[in-house]
Amino acid sequence: MKIFALLISSVLAVAPALAKPAKSVAPKTEVAFDAALGQLPESIAADVQGNLYVSMSNLVVKVRPDRQFDTLAELPVPAGVLATGVTFGDDGRLYVGAGALGPGVEDIFIWRISPVTGQADPFAELDPSGFPNDLAFDDDGSAYVTDSFLGLIWKIAPDGEATEWLESPALLGSPDAPALGVPFGADGIAFDRHKRNLYVTNLDFGIIYKVPVGSDGNPGAMEIFAADPLLVGADGIAFDRAGRLYVAVNAQDRVARVDRFGQVSIVAEGGVLDSPSGFAFGVQPCERNKLYISSFAVARANGLKPGQPMPAIVSMFVAPGGLPVP
């Protein structure tokens, strides 16, 4: 993960908080990782057995219900390629993005991993100049993947064929004011309850876009769902059952929530939240109101923010629970 120290030169001095937290919420640490060992959890997924899966460096790590963890899979990728978004497909396998922050890396894939054996196989090969980041699945088993560098959303059919589903300048990052030092555009992605609309964040600009999905599978006109200084650095997203969208605001150490009307409130910030980057709602019946958060801690781990890095999986209870994933 030291590649970040070379490529991320500064962290945007984001606008001061404009609102108080919506309610008193105290996230707690479930699993603490060691930044000195490169254990910086970027994305997170959960299964019905209570296991959690996080991407870090070129690994996918499995965290059992007793909160012990070990490596499930090591992606066979060149040095400098990082595992990014991780989520389950409807076939019960994990799908993981992999991208490089620097040039000259050819093997940019979406990987498919068995959660039982850890066998990792390439699923789809994407443009090596891009940075595949987060994933969401439709009901037909196709994956939609954000590309933070190319400003587009890939659609990958169940057979692994990839096409450019949506490309827009609005999905590019900001070269003038990158929230993480390197321009990042399209990042977090999620479907709403009926999968009629796809939501995607632009990390640098603090904007969440809504994209209707037509009956023919093509994208409709993209519109702004929410835009707010509180969302600058918006990374992973997840819907609850009330249609509210939770946002991991990486650059500002906070979790925000956006209601159906696009109004933004702060749910939690600071404390054990250290560059939160991804979400997973618990899948077991007793955990569906539990929101798991990957605290990436990448800025502090590379000396770009003051203080000791606190990479971890943290959790908090929210009501109501989350939508089923995928």
Side-chain angles (χ1 to χ4, degrees):
M1 298 299 290
K2 291 301 183 183
I3 187 172
F4 280 94
L6 299 175
L7 294 167
I8 301 179
S9 60
S10 64
V11 176
L12 177 67
V14 295
L18 302 179
K20 296 296 183 181
K23 58 185 293 187
S24 178
V25 176
K28 72 170 188 175
T29 299
E30 295 275 346
V31 182
F33 296 112
D34 189 342
L37 299 178
Q39 296 175 347
L40 306 179
E42 200 278 337
S43 183
I44 186 168
D47 69 16
V48 72
Q49 287 79 37
N51 299 299
L52 302 172
Y53 303 83
V54 294
S55 56
M56 56 174 65
S57 186
N58 66 330
L59 308 177
V60 175
V61 171
K62 182 175 183 178
V63 181
R64 298 182 294 274
D66 64 3
R67 297 307 179 238
Q68 299 300 304
F69 61 90
D70 49 37
T71 297
L72 172 70
E74 180 176 355
L75 299 184
V77 294
V81 176
L82 311 172
T84 55
V86 55
T87 192
F88 276 98
D90 58 9
D91 60 359
R93 288 181 284 187
L94 285 162
Y95 289 78
V96 184
L101 294 177
V105 177
E106 296 294 328
D107 297 330
I108 302 300
F109 289 105
I110 301 299
W111 293 85
R112 183 164 52 192
I113 299 174
S114 166
V116 178
T117 67
Q119 175 68 36
D121 299 306
F123 173 59
E125 185 172 7
L126 302 178
D127 188 330
S129 64
F131 189 85
N133 204 323
D134 203 6
L135 308 91
F137 281 87
D138 66 17
D139 287 334
D140 295 326
S142 293
Y144 296 74
V145 182
T146 55
D147 194 308
S148 300
F149 288 176
L150 298 180
L152 61 84
I153 299 173
W154 298 95
K155 182 176 181 179
I156 306 174
D159 64 1
E161 181 181 359
T163 57
E164 293 183 9
W165 186 71
L166 175 64
E167 182 178 11
S168 171
L171 298 178
L172 290 170
S174 171
D176 298 324
L180 298 176
V182 173
F184 269 77
D187 200 308
I189 191 169
F191 277 102
D192 59 12
R193 177 184 291 273
H194 300 294
K195 299 194 175 180
R196 295 173 182 163
N197 300 287
L198 194 60
Y199 292 74
V200 58
T201 67
N202 184 309
L203 187 145
D204 282 344
F205 289 98
I207 298 174
I208 301 172
Y209 290 100
K210 174 182 176 181
V211 185
V213 181
S215 58
D216 59 0
N218 292 322
M222 186 168 62
E223 62 184 75
I224 293 176
F225 172 63
D228 196 300
L230 296 170
L231 298 178
V232 171
D235 203 323
I237 53 177
F239 274 102
D240 70 12
R241 293 177 183 270
R244 300 176 302 183
L245 189 64
Y246 284 83
V247 185
V249 188
N250 188 326
Q252 301 191 60
D253 297 338
R254 68 165 52 116
V255 173
R257 186 172 62 207
V258 185
D259 68 18
R260 293 185 178 187
F261 305 102
Q263 297 300 306
V264 180
S265 58
I266 304 169
V267 176
E269 61 183 344
V272 297
L273 292 172
D274 188 352
S275 296
S277 54
F279 293 137
F281 277 98
V283 181
Q284 293 180 308
C286 61
E287 287 205 325
R288 288 175 182 165
N289 285 9
K290 198 170 188 178
L291 182 63
Y292 290 102
I293 307 160
S294 54
S295 271
F296 196 12
V298 65
R300 289 184 176 87
N302 288 284
L304 303 175
K305 282 185 179 180
Q308 292 296 314
M310 298 181 293
I313 297 173
V314 304
S315 69
M316 62 182 182
F317 284 95
V318 297
L323 289 182
V325 176

